[in-house]
Amino acid sequence: MDFPAKSTPSPYTPRRRILVVEDQADAAATLALLLRLHGHEVNVAADGTAALQTLQTLTADVVIIDIGLPDMDGHEVARRIRQSGQNSALLVALTGYQGKEESHRSAEAGFNHHLTKPVTLTVINKILETIH
């Protein structure tokens, strides 16, 4: 499959600053690549600590966080992001955990959306379109 050398933003979704927090390197790289191909600026963190450090110098529009991280779970990362005052960032849980209880836990932690893997880029783009 050939990828364009340079991607332009979708006419429907403005360029966003996105942090992907995912400990599975291949999954993180793939999601970051797809988002970049849609014109977004993407940073990747492999764990919660790295994500929180990155957010000290980066103002992200969107943070996509895996719940099952090695150092602290994604719920704790979301809580710390909210406590840090970054309330304008859209937080998206991207996880293998599903069900009403998991969605409720994500909402309590401060996530705006709870997505169950595997998720399509179309679903993520629809979420990105909701940002004002």
Side-chain angles (χ1 to χ4, degrees):
M1 176 182 338
D2 293 325
F3 293 105
K6 185 174 180 183
S7 178
T8 56
S10 161
Y12 307 107
T13 306
R15 179 184 171 108
R16 302 290 184 202
R17 286 182 311 270
I18 301 171
L19 175 61
V20 173
V21 186
E22 170 63 65
D23 62 319
Q24 298 296 320
D26 290 344
T30 300
L31 181 55
L33 173 65
L34 291 171
L35 290 166
R36 287 181 185 122
L37 288 172
H38 280 260
H40 302 292
E41 177 186 324
V42 182
N43 288 279
V44 175
D47 59 39
T49 302
L52 296 171
Q53 289 172 345
T54 299
L55 290 171
Q56 290 177 1
T57 58
L58 169 78
T59 302
D61 300 310
V62 179
V63 185
I64 301 172
I65 307 170
D66 180 28
I67 297 299
L69 297 170
D71 60 343
M72 68 182 83
D73 72 18
H75 296 118
E76 181 62 22
V77 176
R79 279 190 284 278
R80 290 186 187 191
I81 291 170
R82 292 300 187 219
Q83 290 169 355
S84 75
Q86 293 202 37
N87 293 325
S88 63
L90 185 80
L91 301 185
V92 179
L94 182 57
T95 179
Y97 306 124
Q98 60 182 327
K100 288 182 182 179
E101 183 178 319
E102 289 300 325
S103 294
H104 181 70
R105 286 186 64 210
S106 292
E108 283 182 338
F111 283 102
N112 302 95
H113 299 277
H114 180 97
L115 302 177
T116 304
K117 295 177 184 179
V119 65
T120 66
L121 190 59
T122 301
V123 170
I124 293 173
N125 279 333
K126 286 186 184 295
I127 290 171
L128 296 177
E129 290 171 10
T130 67
I131 303 171
H132 297 94

